[in-house]
Structure formats: C-alpha cells, structure tokens
Amino acid sequence: MRVPLSWLQDLVQLNETVEILAEGLSMAGFEIEAIEDLASHAQGVVVGLVKDHQPHPNADKLSVCQVDVGSGECLQIVCGAQNVRTGIHVPVAMVGATLPAVGIKIKASQLRGVPSQGMICSLAELGLESNCDGIAILEEIAENVPNLGQPVGPLFGLDDTVLELAITANRPDGMSMVGIAREVAALTGASLQLPQLDMAPIHKSFTPDSTSSVSMLKGGLYGLTALENVDGGLTSPAWIKQRLERSGLKSVNGVVDITNLVMLEQGQPLHAFDIDALEMITGQTVSAECFGLRQARNNEVFNGLDGHQLALNENCQIVTCHHIPVAIAGVMGSAESGVSAKTRRIWLESAMFTPTAVRTTCRALGLRTDASSRFEKGLPIEMTLASARRAVTLMEEHLGIKSNGCWVYGELLKTAEPVKLRRNAIHRLLGPVAEEVSNEFLLSSLEGDLLSSKADENDHRYLEDEIIERSLLALGCELAPCEDGWLVTVPPTRRRDLSREVDLIEEVSRLVGFDRFEAHLPDPIEPGGLTNTQTAERLLRQMLSGAGLQEVTTLSLVGADNDEPQRIAISNPLLAETSHLRTNLWEEHLRICQRNLQSSQPGCWLYEIGNVYTQTGEQINQRAVLGGVICAERRFERWSTNGKIKSMTYHQARGQLAQVFKGLKLDINDLPLKDNPSLHPGRSAELFVEGKLLGHFGQLHPALSERLDLPEATYLFALDLQYIIQAATRSNRWTPIFRPFPTVPAMELDLAVIVSRECSCSDLMQAIRKAGKPLLEHVELIDRFEGGQLDHDSCSQAFRLRYRSKDSTLSEDRVNPIHEKVRQALVKQFSAELRS
C-alpha cells in the first residue's frame, strides 16, 4: 500500500517527521517496506526557456539549443528530441543533477564535437508516466508556468514523500487512506478531517437473474447505481490524477479515475459498466435484474480490461449480464463492457464478494489485482453502499454526471453487538506499567501520566481508565460504561479484526506501547521440567537415532488419491498438491527414499513422529504415529563383505526396531499379518504391546517396490505413539529397580523341539518362562531349522535356558525337575516333539 504524505496530510494533521512517523507505524504493526522521496526524482531540475534552436553541425538527429534558466547566461544544450523548438518552456537538468528514474548523473560533455551543459528532460526521465515521445513542454502540462530557474518538482507533484506499507491479512483497513489516517490519529492524537459519508443511502432491493446462483454471495452484498449524462471522454481533475499516480495507479478517464480514487481512499473497490456496451453485447435492454453471479464453465473465454484473454474454469466466480460474463467477481471487468470515450450511461457496481470466493478465483487464474487484494482480506459490508455514494458525489461534482437510482441485492448487517471489555482483564493480561520507557514515539495524547494512582496490595500500578478510553476512542470505537468495564462498539472498518475482548486489549497495549509494561512473570518463579511423556518421547527419538535412523518431518497436507478415497479434503487449499489431510506417513517416506537412492545414496533409514487423520461420520480424528522406513544398506564399512552391498534380511531389520524397544524396556509380541496390501504377505507382522495392537512392521510388497523402483530390502513400520508412551511410562518400567549382582553361578541348558511351522517362537518362550519359575532367569532362541528330514509343515526350534538360584549354587537334582516341567509343558500345549 503506497501512502502519499500529501494526501495523508489532507486527512489527518501531521506534525512528525517522516522518519518518526515511519517508526511509529512500524511499531504499531504496519511494516515500512520503503520510503520514497519523490523530490529526488527532480532534484537539480529547473524551468528553462528555449531561446534558440539550430541543427547540429555533425548529426542530423541532434539540435543545439540555447536555453535560459534565469542565471543571466544561456546554457548550450545538445538535444535529440524531435519536438524541441524555440519559445517553449522545458525542464532542464543542471550539471551535477542526478536522475534516479534513468540512473544518469548530468555532466558537462561534448556530443559530436559540440559542448553541452545540461539536459532537457522528458517526463519519463523524471519518473513520470508519459503518453508521447520527446521532451516535456511545460505549456502543454500546466496553465501557469513557474519562473525561469525555479524547480520543476512542485509543478509535477514531485515534492512529496510516499510510504510503502506491508499490510497484514488481519488489517484490511490498512488498504485505505482513511484507515491509515485513523491509525496515525490514534498514534499521535492528531485531529481527523475525513470525507463525509452517507452510511445509509436510499436504495431499492432487486432480485438478480433467476438462473444465476445468487446464493454464492453467502452474506455478501451486490449494489448497482444507474448514472446518466456521462461523458466517457472527460479526464479527471489534476489533483485526482496526481493522487492516483503517487499511489501507483495510472489515470484512465474521469469515471475510472474516481472509482480508483474511492478504492484507495475508502478501501472499497468499485467498477463501472457501460450500459450501451452491455446492451450491444447481450442484444437486450439491461436493468439491475439482468445481472447475476455464477461459477464459470471450463474453458469459458473472457477478455479482461488489461488486454489479456483468459480461459476460465469452474473455480472462477463471474458476474453475468443476461448470462454473458461481464466481469470476474472482485478481480477485473471485461474489455467489452468497460468505460470508453463513447460511454454515456453506466452501471456503477459496488459489491462485497466473499474473501474465499475471490481468493479461489485469483488462485485459479494466477492473477491478482488491486481490487482482489482488498476483497481477499475482507471488507466491511457497511462500506459497500457508502463508498458507491461517495464516488457518485465526486462524479456529480467534477464530471456533471447524474444519478438515477440505486439497486441492492442482499441484506445490510444489523447493528453490531458491543464487545464487553473488563477492567480486570486488561490489568491481568497487560500487567503493571513501567515507570521508565524507551520508545519515544507513542500516543501523544497519552504522553502524560500513564501510571494509575490506584495500587494493589503489592503496590503495582496499572493503566488509568482515562487512557484506556482515549485509546479506544482514537480507533473510532464507541464506549458505554458498565459495572466492571465498558461495552465497546467497534467501527465497521475494524469489526473483522476487533471481535473479542482480547483483541481490544491488544489494541490498547499496541497504542500505549508494549515496552511501557513491566515484565509479567509468575511469582514465585519455579523451575520447570519435562513430563514423563515428554521424557519418554525424547528417549524414543534418541534410541531411533542411535539405531541409525534419521528423523524427518513431512507435510500433513497431501494431494488427492483415487486409491485412497478416505482422505479428508480441506475447504480452501492453496494448491492441489496440498488439498487433503494425510492418512499415513509411509507414502511420503518412500518418496524420500526414492530421491535419496536416485542421488546415489546406498540406503535410506528414516523415521518420523507425526499425525495422521481419519474421519468417522462428521468427526475428524487425529492420531500420533511413529512411522519409518529401513531401505537398503546403511553402514560405515564394506571390508567385511569385500566391498559388496549386503541388504538386510527381514529379521535383521526387525532387530533394529527391537533394540529401540529394548531401550524402553518394552516387550513386543509379533503375529503374522497377511492382509495389508502394501506389505509382503509372508514377511510382515502385527506388533502388540500389553495386549494392545501397536501397529505393523513388514517388508514392502514386491509389486509396490518394483513400481517405485525401490530395492526389495525395504521395510516399513507404523506404530501408535500413544500406546508406546503409555507402556514406556508405567511405574514398573519408568522407575529403576535395583537388584544385587548375582553371587552364585548360573546353569545353562539347551532345549530343542519340533513344532508346527505356524507356531511362533514368542508363544513357545512365553510357555517356557511360565513353566520355568522360579529358577528360570532367561530364555532365548538360538536356532530355527526347516527342511531336511523334517516334514514340510514342521520346523525345529532350539532355545537356551539359564537357571540361577538366589542364594546357592544349583545342582542337577534341583534343575532337572524344573527343566522337565518345561519340556512337558511344550509337549502338552504345542504337541511338541522333544529332540533334546
């Protein structure tokens, strides 16, 4: 947003320097991106009179001019413009002047052997818009030409300073000069001189074209004002042109200039339709009821005012007249219906399109305009008709146009409900006021005593009621005192931003100055610490990283997928690639593996703790998941394999995860998993902890690994983080239990059995532990064998059992009965055939 100080001065009294004003606005939340001093564009450029004009002796296209700049002697200047002639007043850049618009510093020089002591300037060389070639002729630009030698800057409006502000999305009022003026007045306490507005202009209601989807307004407003006696060829007054140019807009014609002026002044975009052009396009008489609003059709052609032809799609919202598109809603009008020199009647459109609809349209077209940037931030509906009336008044005053009625579709908002502001809430949130402050630019009307004479039991002093009231009144709020504070009615231009009590408190602190408040720390200050859940999660990350996996973070937003219709679509996505909530982590993890392997990495081991989303009816569920991939090989040495790549087996990869759970003191049970389409049916398992399904681990399905060009040795896991944390933080695991070191030796015995291939070693080990009490200390699988002389549906599993007594050395007489009990338990429960 470009803010010319000369225009701002007409709206609010400015007593501060540009630097102080810029600092104050920055501290208040309006970042200053640039300060442009327009005077620098014409510094050292004065009024000159061409006394003589002769052809250059050595160049056909150059002229030698004698120019009087009021110094007593004429300057000889070589000029290449075709329109230079004797007797005209021109802008002359003196020797030593710099022209920033073209990056030239004027020096005394010789051109084709003829000395030249300056330069006669064109408008473009002064940084101004120009519709003609050649030098600027002052008689054609101004009625009264300044005296010779006088600076030309004021004549061209180059005596101003322009602030360029970055406006945040929550401050749409900052997109208008009136909004910035109110902000400056609130900061400085200066008086305002704002244009008078008719907030309730007379109008009639109408129903748009019945075939259009008028419901798309969704609480918006659409107004049309009929204007007659229009002369589209008239230009706007010089002061309007000057304000537009300094604000970064070009002058077009009187009607368009005034609509742009009101947009800059009030923040409400307007658009003018040529009625005769509309009737020619549609072949029918045009009334307010003929206008409608609908979504465009795919590949519907639209010719914009900017001269570009656009191919619309169903994401674009358009304004129609007799079903024919005449404008892209909130963005741009059509070239065919725009105001031209032949225009004699117009419909003046003033609408409040919804921010979502305009934002979606702009994104679909890749197009953004001054109007759309305002609609996207949200506009107050109360200003829609008032701004149109303001434009009509200016057109009546300067262009002789006559109004012939106003028609409106939609309902104006009723009186806004006041926001209750409690005194105690202000003091509790902002805290006491400091006695010493460092910021010099503050609300000058409050520069007196900020400290309240009231003190609580701790002698803390807070803002006076008078200061709070002045701050809110400076924003245009209306206050009604109540028992414990105020009922605050917010002005229309700030209702989108100031809708809650905390918003009002923020405004008070912003205007008073955040650095005027003391640090508001808890008393007493107590040391903090991690909870058991946070500690367990941190330990989990450390164990995974220690196992060789690298942590990654991926986006929760993904694109649509026909193979996963259960993905949840978000209502207003920025991109098609981020239009849905993810339902798993592994898809993006596999893409990361692809990129790493394509970059000549030998492998990719990674993990992530993130959220996935599911939907049950209308309820959206969020679940924290630990997911990861172990893909190919990742190690520091190759000498043990003679430089060859050795991929991990299923059990080796599963062992990496087992080491992590061992560090958390968790016992995990595996059960075969065969119905997961993304995993190998014979090399995948469901993992259980404390009897609850924790998740799954398995090798990537061969068909999927081939399609993604990933090695077969790619293993996925997805585990429920909540169950891991719950199990890891149980008191029996979380609190260390210290046991004395054994003082007696242990006895180890091996046990081999033949069981069904479907029998898992975990079930066997669980039975061994139960039967081996109280002497059994440890059991582990040492061998598993299939084939050979065994039946095809049988396998041999061998275990090593360690027995130990607490107080004495074990003998065979004490161990053998328990060992036999273990053997018989396996025979009874699993029909095992004993081999040892």
Side-chain angles (χ1 to χ4, degrees):
M1 174 70 182
R2 288 174 60 85
V3 179
L5 291 191
S6 60
W7 191 355
L8 189 62
Q9 180 75 53
D10 292 338
L11 301 175
V12 61
Q13 183 179 356
L14 296 179
N15 299 319
E16 293 74 23
T17 64
V18 175
E19 291 75 18
I20 293 178
L21 180 63
E23 180 188 356
L25 288 171
S26 295
M27 294 294 294
F30 290 103
E31 180 185 354
I32 306 296
E33 292 187 329
I35 300 177
E36 183 180 0
D37 183 7
L38 298 182
S40 64
H41 289 233
Q43 191 169 4
V45 182
V46 300
V47 177
L49 174 64
V50 179
K51 288 289 191 81
D52 187 37
H53 162 249
Q54 299 295 331
H56 193 289
N58 302 319
D60 296 337
K61 295 184 179 180
L62 298 180
S63 303
V64 180
C65 304
Q66 301 297 321
V67 183
D68 185 1
V69 294
S71 60
E73 295 184 2
C74 290
L75 300 179
Q76 179 171 285
I77 299 176
V78 177
C79 179
Q82 298 300 311
N83 61 340
V84 64
R85 59 183 183 271
T86 303
I88 59 173
H89 288 80
V90 293
V92 178
M94 306 293 286
V95 173
T98 299
L99 302 179
V102 290
I104 295 177
K105 184 174 183 180
I106 306 302
K107 300 178 180 179
S109 60
Q110 287 195 358
L111 296 177
R112 296 289 183 94
V114 176
S116 181
Q117 299 173 312
M119 186 174 81
I120 302 176
C121 300
S122 65
L123 292 178
E125 289 163 339
L126 298 178
L128 301 171
E129 293 291 336
S130 176
N131 296 324
C132 61
D133 297 329
I135 59 173
I137 300 176
L138 301 186
E139 286 86 354
E140 299 175 357
I141 297 173
E143 296 181 0
N144 299 316
V145 178
N147 295 330
L148 298 180
Q150 294 295 312
V152 300
L155 179 66
F156 295 114
L158 298 177
D159 55 349
D160 199 358
T161 301
V162 178
L163 301 180
E164 193 161 345
L165 308 183
I167 308 300
T168 55
N170 66 319
R171 292 298 302 273
D173 60 299
M175 297 294 288
S176 68
M177 290 297 301
V178 169
I180 298 299
R182 286 190 180 278
E183 185 72 16
V184 172
L187 290 169
T188 64
S191 58
L192 288 166
Q193 305 93 31
L194 302 181
Q196 294 296 319
L197 295 179
D198 183 359
M199 300 302 295
I202 299 173
H203 63 274
K204 304 173 186 177
S205 297
F206 80 98
T207 301
D209 186 350
S210 59
T211 61
S212 297
S213 301
V214 295
S215 60
M216 292 180 187
L217 279 173
K218 295 179 182 178
L221 197 72
Y222 192 81
L224 290 166
T225 304
L227 301 177
E228 298 179 344
N229 196 34
V230 178
D231 184 356
L234 289 179
T235 60
S236 54
W239 66 272
I240 293 181
K241 291 182 180 180
Q242 190 176 81
R243 286 184 175 181
L244 293 177
E245 290 173 357
R246 294 181 185 182
S247 301
L249 297 182
K250 296 181 180 180
S251 174
V252 180
N253 54 54
V255 173
V256 175
D257 286 358
I258 287 178
T259 61
N260 286 336
L261 180 78
V262 173
M263 178 185 70
L264 295 173
E265 179 186 89
Q266 303 294 335
Q268 171 67 52
L270 305 171
H271 182 66
F273 294 106
D274 186 326
I275 296 179
D276 296 319
L278 290 177
E279 292 180 348
M280 184 177 297
I281 294 170
T282 62
Q284 302 179 55
T285 302
V286 175
S287 62
E289 291 78 9
C290 302
F291 286 84
L293 190 68
R294 66 171 172 85
Q295 294 301 118
R297 304 181 185 92
N298 283 329
N299 297 319
E300 192 166 8
V301 176
F302 180 86
N303 295 314
L305 278 172
D306 59 355
H308 292 90
Q309 187 177 88
L310 303 174
L312 307 181
N313 58 54
E314 58 187 9
N315 292 320
C316 303
Q317 194 176 74
I318 58 174
V319 177
T320 63
C321 181
H322 288 299
H323 319 302
I324 297 176
V326 293
I328 302 176
V331 181
M332 181 189 300
S334 68
E336 297 86 352
S337 63
V339 177
S340 66
K342 299 179 181 180
T343 300
R344 296 298 176 262
R345 298 180 299 156
I346 62 175
W347 282 112
L348 180 63
E349 175 196 78
S350 180
M352 204 285 281
F353 300 109
T354 59
T356 301
V358 176
R359 193 179 302 115
T360 302
T361 299
C362 291
R363 187 166 57 248
L365 297 176
L367 177 67
R368 182 160 277 106
T369 62
D370 290 303
S372 69
S373 64
R374 288 165 170 80
F375 280 117
E376 287 182 43
K377 289 181 171 62
L379 299 175
I381 197 170
E382 295 85 353
M383 298 299 298
T384 305
L385 299 183
S387 298
R389 186 60 210 167
R390 165 70 172 157
V392 170
T393 301
L394 290 172
M395 291 180 189
E396 290 174 342
E397 180 180 351
H398 298 286
L399 304 178
I401 293 175
K402 295 181 181 179
S403 174
N404 194 23
C406 177
W407 286 262
V408 175
Y409 173 77
E411 295 184 4
L412 292 171
L413 293 180
K414 298 179 180 179
T415 304
E417 292 293 328
V419 180
K420 186 174 183 179
L421 178 60
R422 296 166 296 163
R423 183 180 295 104
N424 289 339
I426 297 176
H427 298 332
R428 184 175 62 253
L429 189 60
L430 298 182
V433 180
E435 296 188 8
E436 295 183 1
V437 295
S438 60
N439 188 3
E440 297 180 357
F441 186 89
L442 296 165
L443 191 63
S444 60
S445 62
L446 307 180
E447 292 255 347
D449 185 15
L450 285 173
L451 301 177
S452 171
S453 59
K454 302 175 184 178
D456 62 10
E457 60 273 12
N458 296 320
D459 197 29
H460 288 161
R461 296 189 290 178
Y462 298 92
L463 284 179
E464 287 276 12
D465 287 357
E466 180 184 0
I467 297 170
I468 298 170
E469 292 173 357
R470 287 181 184 176
S471 300
L472 296 174
L473 290 173
L475 295 172
C477 299
E478 297 178 2
L479 306 181
C482 61
E483 182 179 356
D484 55 348
W486 302 266
L487 294 176
V488 183
T489 302
V490 179
T493 55
R494 296 299 306 276
R495 284 178 190 162
R496 284 184 173 268
D497 181 36
L498 307 181
S499 58
R500 303 170 299 168
E501 181 182 53
V502 67
D503 298 329
L504 298 173
I505 296 175
E506 180 188 8
E507 288 300 290
V508 171
S509 59
R510 186 175 65 86
L511 295 178
V512 171
F514 289 110
D515 57 345
R516 290 201 168 198
F517 297 94
E518 293 181 351
H520 199 34
L521 300 176
D523 187 17
I525 298 178
E526 298 179 352
L530 298 177
T531 64
N532 288 348
T533 297
Q534 292 170 330
T535 304
E537 184 175 329
R538 183 170 293 186
L539 178 60
L540 176 62
R541 295 177 190 270
Q542 292 173 353
M543 297 299 297
L544 287 165
S545 299
L549 281 77
Q550 182 174 351
E551 184 173 9
V552 298
T553 301
T554 59
L555 289 177
S556 298
L557 298 177
V558 295
D561 190 345
N562 295 330
D563 297 333
E564 286 198 52
Q566 67 272 28
R567 286 184 178 176
I568 304 168
I570 61 177
S571 59
N572 188 27
L574 290 175
L575 300 169
E577 293 81 4
T578 56
S579 58
H580 290 69
L581 295 172
R582 66 185 176 190
T583 56
N584 61 67
L585 301 179
W586 61 266
E587 289 188 16
E588 184 57 34
H589 291 174
L590 292 181
R591 294 189 185 96
I592 295 175
C593 291
Q594 283 181 299
R595 292 192 289 268
N596 275 268
L597 295 179
Q598 289 170 0
S599 301
S600 302
Q601 295 297 319
C604 181
W605 294 12
L606 57 89
Y607 76 93
E608 178 180 6
I609 294 177
N611 294 319
V612 296
Y613 304 87
T614 56
Q615 187 168 11
T616 306
E618 296 184 356
Q619 179 72 27
I620 297 177
N621 307 307
Q622 174 179 295
R623 184 167 62 94
V625 172
L626 167 62
V629 177
I630 298 176
C631 178
E633 181 188 47
R634 187 178 182 187
R635 57 195 176 116
F636 291 108
E637 56 81 23
R638 291 275 177 86
W639 60 268
S640 60
T641 59
N642 297 323
K644 298 179 180 179
I645 295 177
K646 184 179 181 181
S647 299
M648 299 193 74
T649 66
Y650 171 87
H651 297 94
Q652 288 174 329
R654 176 66 180 85
Q656 296 291 325
L657 205 58
Q659 290 297 319
V660 174
F661 292 128
K662 185 177 180 180
L664 296 174
K665 303 178 183 178
L666 297 181
D667 293 325
I668 304 298
N669 296 322
D670 295 36
L671 291 180
L673 174 63
K674 297 182 179 180
D675 57 354
N676 191 319
S678 60
L679 299 179
H680 193 296
R683 299 175 186 171
S684 57
E686 289 182 320
L687 308 186
F688 290 82
V689 61
E690 297 181 341
K692 298 177 182 178
L693 177 60
L694 182 61
H696 60 260
F697 175 91
Q699 182 176 335
L700 186 64
H701 196 285
L704 189 56
S705 62
E706 182 179 357
R707 178 161 62 87
L708 298 177
D709 195 22
L710 291 173
E712 290 186 5
T714 300
Y715 305 94
L716 310 177
F717 60 90
L719 310 174
D720 192 307
L721 182 66
Q722 181 181 357
Y723 288 162
I724 296 176
I725 299 301
Q726 286 179 353
T729 53
R730 303 283 186 207
S731 58
N732 61 334
R733 296 189 183 92
W734 197 247
T735 303
I737 299 175
F738 296 95
R739 297 185 177 91
F741 287 103
T743 58
V744 294
M747 180 180 291
E748 291 185 347
L749 298 177
D750 292 344
L751 174 60
V753 294
I754 299 175
V755 293
S756 170
R757 293 178 61 179
E758 303 297 327
C759 183
S760 67
C761 68
S762 60
D763 292 339
L764 293 172
M765 292 171 66
Q766 186 175 358
I768 293 172
R769 291 191 187 99
K770 185 175 180 180
K773 294 179 181 179
L775 296 182
L776 182 64
E777 183 180 74
H778 180 69
V779 59
E780 63 179 341
L781 178 70
I782 59 174
D783 182 59
R784 189 178 189 278
F785 175 74
E786 296 178 6
Q789 298 179 356
L790 298 177
D791 294 338
H792 70 279
D793 59 348
S794 300
C795 71
S796 173
Q797 297 190 39
F799 301 90
R800 179 158 294 161
L801 288 68
R802 184 169 68 232
Y803 297 97
R804 193 193 305 268
S805 174
K806 295 181 180 179
D807 50 11
S808 62
T809 302
L810 289 177
S811 63
E812 291 185 358
D813 295 339
R814 293 183 63 187
V815 173
N816 287 340
I818 295 178
H819 192 63
E820 183 63 25
K821 180 181 176 182
V822 170
R823 289 157 54 91
Q824 295 305 318
L826 298 181
V827 173
K828 182 178 179 180
Q829 295 182 36
F830 303 99
S831 300
E833 180 183 343
L834 301 175
R835 299 185 64 191
S836 62

